[in-house]
Amino acid sequence: MTDLIIIGGGPIGIACGLEAKKKGISYKILEKGPIVNSLFNYPVNMQFFSSSERLEIDGIPFISNEAKPKRNEALEYYRRIVTSNDLNLQLFERVTSIVKVGEVFSVTTPKATYSARNVIIATGFYDLPNPLNVPGEDLPKVSHYYKDPHFYAGQKLAVVGASNSAVDAALECWRKGAEVTLVVRGPEIGRRVKYWVRPDVLNRIEEGSIRAYFNSTIQEIRQEQIVLDTPQGTVMLPNDFVLALTGYRPNFAFLTAAGISISEDEKKRPHYDPQTMETNVSGLYLAGVICGGMETHKWFIENSREHAKIILEHICFKVRAESSSRQTL
C-alpha cells in the first residue's frame, strides 16, 4: 500500500513525484512507455513554442542551446531529473483500470495490481488521434503521427491540418524533397502556429512551393490518390502518403471507467475542483493537459506544473487530518 500512485511519467507526472518525495509521501509513478513517452514520440526535429525556463519543473534549471529548446534537449532534461532524483518510476507499464473499494484504490496493469490511498492521473492526450472518418483511412500509407521528414523525400505527401504539428511537418518534408499538399478544413493557417513559423509556410504557399487547399476536406483515400472536397468541387490528387495531423484527445473512456464525471458539451471537460485538483471521486486527482478535456490548447507544461504542489498540499492536509483524528481516538 502506498499513499499515492501517479499515472503518467511525463513532465507533470514527474513534477508530482518530486513533490511527493519532498513531502515524505510514499508514491509510485506508472508510465506506459519510456520516460516522458509523449515527448519521445514528438517529431525528431521538433522545437518547443515555450522557452526552456518555462518548461522547468521544481525550479531545476533547464539549459538549452537556443531560447526555445528542441525535443532532444527536453528528453535529456527530464531524464536527468528522474535519474538524479532517483524517482520511483516504473516504465512500460500501462494502467488498464482504476477501481476504488472503500477508501483504497486498486490500480491494475498487465504486470500487477497496486493499492493506494490516492491516485493522480497525468496522462496527457497524445494517445488517441482525432480520426478523419473517411474511406481508406486504415491504409498503411496513412499516419496520425509524424516523426522524420527523410521518410517522405521524393514522395507525394498530403498533410491534413493547419496547426503547429501540420505546418512543421509540411515545411520539413518539403525541405527534404517531398511534394507537399496541405489540406485545411478552415480558411487559413492556424493563428496559434508558432509566430516564427507561420510567415514561412504562408510564403511557401504563396510562391507555390507548397500547394494548399483551404475550406477543404479529404473525402476518400485510395492507394495511389486522394479525393478532396474543395470550394471548386471534387479534386483528385496523385498521392503516396497522408499525414493526418488533426489533433488528439484524452482517453475519456478511461476517465469515466474510473468514475470521473465528464461534461456533456463538446468540450468534454472532466470534473475537478480547481482549488485541489480533486475529481468527483475522493482521492482521485487530475494534473496537466488532461484537465482541459477537448480544449487541449488550454493547459501546457508551463501553466500546469503547479498542479503538483496543489495536489500534494491537499494530500498532506488529509494525511495530517487523519493522523490527528487517530490521535484523538
Side-chain angles (χ1 to χ4, degrees):
M1 169 79 74
T2 60
D3 292 321
L4 172 64
I5 285 179
I6 302 161
I7 302 173
I12 305 306
I14 291 171
C16 291
L18 288 170
E19 197 66 23
K21 187 172 183 178
K22 285 196 298 184
K23 292 186 178 299
I25 299 294
S26 61
Y27 73 96
K28 190 186 304 291
I29 306 173
L30 301 176
E31 166 57 61
K32 66 180 177 297
I35 298 169
V36 291
N37 180 71
S38 292
L39 299 191
F40 174 77
N41 286 303
Y42 281 178
V44 292
N45 299 320
M46 182 262 190
Q47 187 169 29
F48 285 85
F49 188 92
S50 301
S51 59
S52 56
E53 63 268 19
R54 300 191 69 181
L55 299 178
E56 293 174 355
I57 56 176
D58 201 40
I60 300 170
F62 183 174
I63 308 300
S64 58
N65 291 326
E66 302 176 50
K68 299 178 186 302
K70 295 187 176 181
R71 166 188 171 273
N72 64 321
E73 294 175 309
L75 293 179
E76 179 73 9
Y77 172 71
Y78 294 115
R79 180 181 62 79
R80 293 234 175 207
I81 288 177
V82 169
T83 56
S84 62
N85 287 277
D86 194 26
L87 291 184
N88 187 7
L89 173 58
Q90 296 182 198
L91 302 172
F92 299 96
E93 191 162 1
R94 179 188 293 271
V95 172
T96 55
S97 70
I98 307 169
V99 177
K100 188 177 184 183
V101 179
E103 297 301 313
V104 177
F105 291 94
S106 290
V107 178
T108 301
T109 76
K111 296 181 179 180
T113 297
Y114 305 96
S115 298
R117 298 179 181 86
N118 301 279
V119 174
I120 299 174
I121 300 177
T123 50
F125 69 99
Y126 200 55
D127 274 349
L128 299 176
N130 294 320
L132 297 173
N133 293 319
V134 300
E137 187 173 6
D138 58 347
L139 289 173
K141 64 186 278 186
V142 181
S143 176
H144 290 277
Y145 296 91
Y146 163 64
K147 195 71 174 179
D148 193 320
H150 175 83
F151 183 82
Y152 301 101
Q155 300 297 291
K156 294 178 175 63
L157 171 66
V159 180
V160 185
S163 63
N164 277 300
S165 57
V167 169
D168 283 345
L171 287 169
E172 288 187 2
C173 292
W174 168 70
R175 289 196 165 96
K176 296 299 182 184
E179 182 182 318
V180 178
T181 298
L182 269 170
V183 182
V184 181
R185 183 175 56 183
E188 63 178 353
I189 296 298
R191 291 288 176 176
R192 293 195 184 95
V193 170
K194 289 172 281 197
Y195 64 83
W196 67 93
V197 173
R198 195 170 190 273
D200 188 1
V201 72
L202 292 177
N203 288 333
R204 301 294 76 73
I205 292 171
E206 184 177 357
E207 70 187 17
S209 298
I210 293 176
R211 181 167 43 182
Y213 287 90
F214 294 102
N215 297 307
S216 302
T217 57
I218 290 184
Q219 294 301 298
E220 184 180 355
I221 301 171
R222 300 172 181 172
Q223 192 63 54
E224 296 182 352
Q225 63 181 188
I226 56 173
V227 181
L228 303 184
D229 180 13
T230 78
Q232 289 74 41
T234 300
V235 175
M236 294 187 182
L237 298 177
N239 173 262
D240 298 308
F241 291 98
V242 175
L243 278 173
L245 304 179
T246 51
Y248 309 90
R249 64 189 187 277
N251 188 339
F252 294 113
F254 180 72
L255 298 181
T256 55
I260 299 173
S261 299
I262 307 290
S263 69
E264 296 182 359
D265 58 16
E266 69 281 358
K267 295 180 179 179
K268 294 187 177 296
R269 289 168 295 192
H271 176 86
Y272 66 93
D273 181 349
Q275 300 300 314
T276 63
M277 308 308 295
E278 190 173 32
T279 69
N280 54 287
V281 180
S282 177
L284 181 56
Y285 300 83
L286 298 179
V289 69
I290 198 169
C291 298
M294 289 300 293
E295 294 183 295
T296 53
H297 61 276
K298 185 174 182 179
W299 293 104
F300 304 94
I301 296 171
E302 56 262 42
N303 67 352
S304 62
R305 55 189 174 184
E306 295 303 315
H307 292 171
K309 294 181 180 179
I310 294 172
I311 295 170
L312 268 299
E313 185 58 43
H314 189 247
I315 291 175
C316 286
F317 172 80
K318 293 194 299 182
V319 169
R320 290 192 297 267
E322 291 171 1
S323 177
S324 177
S325 176
R326 287 194 297 268
Q327 290 176 4
T328 302
L329 293 174

